[in-house]
Amino acid sequence: MAITGTSSFSVNFSPVFRRDVTSASGNLKRNLDLKRFAVSSEQASTSSSTTTKTKKFVENGRMWKNSREESETARGVNVEESEERERNGKGLKNYFDEAKDMIRSDAGPPRWFSPLESGSHTHDSPLLLFLPGIDGVGLGLTMQHQRLGQIFDIWCLHIPVEDRTSFADLVKLVERTVRSENHRLPNRPIYLVGESLGACIALAVSAHVPDVDLVLILANPGSLDAWVYKGKSLTDALSSATSFSKSQLQPLIPILKLLPDQIPFSLQYILRLMEGDPLRMAADNLVKGLAPEPTFGKLSQDLLTMSSYLSVVADILPKDTLLWKLEMLRLASAYANSRLHAVKAETLILSSGRDQLLPSQEEGEKLRLALPKCQNRRFDDSGHFLFLEDGVDLVTVIKGAGFYRRGKYIDYVSDYMPPTPSEFKKIQESNRWIYLATGPVLLSTLEDGKIVRGLAGIPSEGPVLYVSYHMLLGLELYPLVSQFMIESNIVLRGIAHPIAFKRLKDGKLPELSTFDPFRMMGAVPVSATNFYKLLSSKSHVLLYPGGMREALHRKGEEYKLFWPERSEFVRMAARFGAKIVPFGAVGEDDIGQVVFDYDDLMKIPYFRAGIDEISNEVVKLRIDASGEVSNQDIHLPGILPKVPGRFYFYFGKPIETEGRKRELRDKVKCHELYLEVKSEVENCIAYLKEKRENDPYRNLLPRLIYQATHGSTSEVPTFEL
């Protein structure tokens, strides 16, 4: 990549990519490592179009990385190596090295720079403006640049150590940039990612430009209550601030009080006074970056890195700069809090549970309740400087929360990004108990009608529509979707209930974060538009016509289909020539038995009121339908658990609709095919219920014994086919 200029922009110049010709910028230009930070004014408009080879996308319903390599999931690539590539191999040492380069000959006003690692985004990627915390360096995303740069055009704000630009002027700088870029690309959102002080700037800018499409991602935003120390000395303020009352830094307060103002104040001296666990905690929160629970070796390595860069820490936040930043944060918090009513932007709050500087989780919840379009994600084991911790991947967080879009509204088809191997591994690990408990068996039907174990009979090219019965509580979803990824590298795009995407009001339903893995694995909210887009993009689509009614069935209704009378999915499938694959899923009755169902709950006034309250928290479906399928009340039946049995899936022979579009416009013909699909699902269920009786490994104990003797990854046999 040719480099013809630095990506730094003076506060006095247009925020659009232009060369900064001021002497201050020139100093920065000479001292920056141009292999790490660079982009030219000419390059800004063209670099994205020349790097589309790194884009990850879904084609014909299958997951592909790029033209240089096959899907790592399909090839069984070492996930640790893949994760290291995704993170670009960066760690705590890189932050210090790059910060040292940035401040070596630092002068001039605040300015933007763009990391070279972020040069692989596509031409339609949205702009991401990173607003730093009290350090001001602008390198808070250094461990995130590689992945973020694939889907965003990243600009980072750098505030020189000696700069004393006021909070109001910083807000004006960012606001000018936002307005300029919005004028250039009015149909594209602009992301403001800020931590602590930067989060306050983002909130203030959002309040000033309600007409601009902004998405705010705020990590541990500042607290007004936590930083009010007007009329007190800094040390007295630290002693009384809410966020420091439980801090590991608390033992340092008496020492700081004993230091007269004439003695140079430096974080270097503070960190050297600390030993053991307090040092690790202080390092995690003040100098950005240890993993939540590192191994002893990793901890020793990072502590050694810290000790080598104590002078860099001191240079980033000398006493005068620290005092200035703390006073600015106090004013910024007050300013942002007073204007929360004007913030209309979509907002994602990231709150750390072990933040020793701010009461982040408490403040995150306050903001969630105060802002109209706000969600909160908690990181219980993380410290204040969230983005520099090994276990935090901002791209994964954005994808899981459903916050990535390239237009005015999210497109659940074109904006979707499949999970990477490391993301898929984490989802697997968190749900491994379901897989172990159910020991899923998947069967499919070849073209000649032969039934085989595995997914060899599944069409490899989309569009394909999979239709089935929905088990109790949807317990079959994880093993089903995961096995498609593992065996066939196919992303099943499930048509899901709105409960996984949106709340009409706060209440008793699980937090939206509970459903992040579903969104990561491809779930989309049910709608005719999304169904149309999925089939038109040749996706593999998973549909349960019985929906909530089947998943929350009554006593004695196991494996009973509650399908609507209308056969619209057949007509839609025929429009795109999609193959329809009916399949059966069996095993819920080997996991638990419903002993207290909806009918029982509705007889008790307390539970009836609770069901009405919960059901009103989400959008209601099928309000125009008739019969049992129209009953979409949300409730949790009483279930008596059993020693786990086994889940079985049997995919029937695909039904072709190619070339039948005109024929299936006839309502009678369409309904006949609809009934045929329904009958095939019932036949598949009946087949599995009969055959599982001859499975010697139907129960959990025989499967555990088999895997203990043959290896934990060995495939457990099943009944004869």
Side-chain angles (χ1 to χ4, degrees), residues 412-413 493-497 501 518 522-527 530-531 534:
Y412 288 95
V413 178
R493 306 300 308 275
I495 303 293
H497 192 277
F501 299 90
F518 288 83
V524 301
V526 58
S527 76
N530 287 335
F531 191 29
L534 287 171

Side-chain angles (χ1 to χ4, degrees), residues 445-451 650 653:
T445 308
L446 301 179
E447 291 186 5
D448 60 4
K450 182 181 180 181
I451 300 174
Y650 170 36
K653 190 173 182 179

Side-chain angles (χ1 to χ4, degrees), residues 460-474:
S460 59
E461 302 297 328
V464 183
L465 178 62
Y466 302 87
V467 186
S468 185
Y469 161 80
H470 212 354
M471 274 195 197
L472 180 65
L473 303 181

Side-chain angles (χ1 to χ4, degrees), residues 221-241:
S223 162
L224 174 60
D225 294 333
W227 293 101
V228 173
Y229 60 93
K230 187 175 182 180
K232 304 178 183 178
S233 67
L234 172 62
T235 52
D236 288 339
L238 294 181
S239 298
S240 61

Side-chain angles (χ1 to χ4, degrees), residues 327-494:
E327 174 64 19
M328 181 187 293
L329 183 55
R330 182 186 71 84
L331 297 173
S333 298
Y335 186 93
N337 284 340
S338 68
R339 287 161 176 77
L340 289 180
H341 65 279
V343 176
K344 307 301 180 186
E346 190 178 9
T347 306
L348 180 63
I349 305 293
L350 311 180
S351 305
S352 295
R354 287 167 56 182
D355 187 345
Q356 307 300 305
L357 300 182
L358 295 172
S360 294
Q361 292 200 342
E362 177 184 343
E363 290 303 312
E365 185 61 18
K366 288 180 181 178
L367 278 174
R368 186 187 70 81
L369 296 174
L371 299 177
K373 295 184 288 185
C374 185
Q375 294 186 38
N376 192 9
R377 295 296 182 273
R378 295 181 178 86
F379 300 82
D380 293 334
D381 295 323
S382 295
H384 182 71
F385 294 99
L386 191 63
F387 296 140
L388 282 171
E389 296 196 0
D390 288 337
V392 178
D393 189 321
L394 185 53
V395 171
T396 300
V397 174
I398 292 172
K399 289 164 61 175
F403 262 66
Y404 184 73
R405 55 186 172 90
R406 286 169 287 191
K408 187 173 180 60
Y409 303 102
I410 185 172
D411 187 320
Y412 288 95
V413 178
S414 64
D415 288 333
Y416 173 70
M417 294 172 286
T420 64
S422 62
E423 289 170 341
F424 180 60
K425 177 188 175 185
K426 290 177 181 177
I427 295 174
Q428 271 191 303
E429 290 176 345
S430 64
N431 293 278
R432 185 172 297 277
W433 66 272
I434 300 178
Y435 195 89
L436 292 175
T438 60
V441 174
L442 280 74
L443 310 175
S444 60
T445 308
L446 301 179
E447 291 186 5
D448 60 4
K450 182 181 180 181
I451 300 174
V452 296
R453 185 167 185 180
L455 298 175
I458 294 299
S460 59
E461 302 297 328
V464 183
L465 178 62
Y466 302 87
V467 186
S468 185
Y469 161 80
H470 212 354
M471 274 195 197
L472 180 65
L473 303 181
L475 292 173
E476 81 281 9
L477 283 172
Y478 168 71
L480 173 63
V481 174
S482 296
Q483 208 62 25
F484 263 75
M485 290 280 288
I486 294 170
E487 289 193 30
S488 302
N489 195 34
I490 290 176
V491 180
L492 272 184
R493 306 300 308 275

Side-chain angles (χ1 to χ4, degrees), residues 45-59:
S45 61
T46 60
S47 62
S48 61
S49 62
T50 61
T51 55
T52 55
K53 63 183 179 182
T54 63
K55 180 183 178 183
K56 183 186 299 177
F57 58 95
V58 177
E59 183 178 278

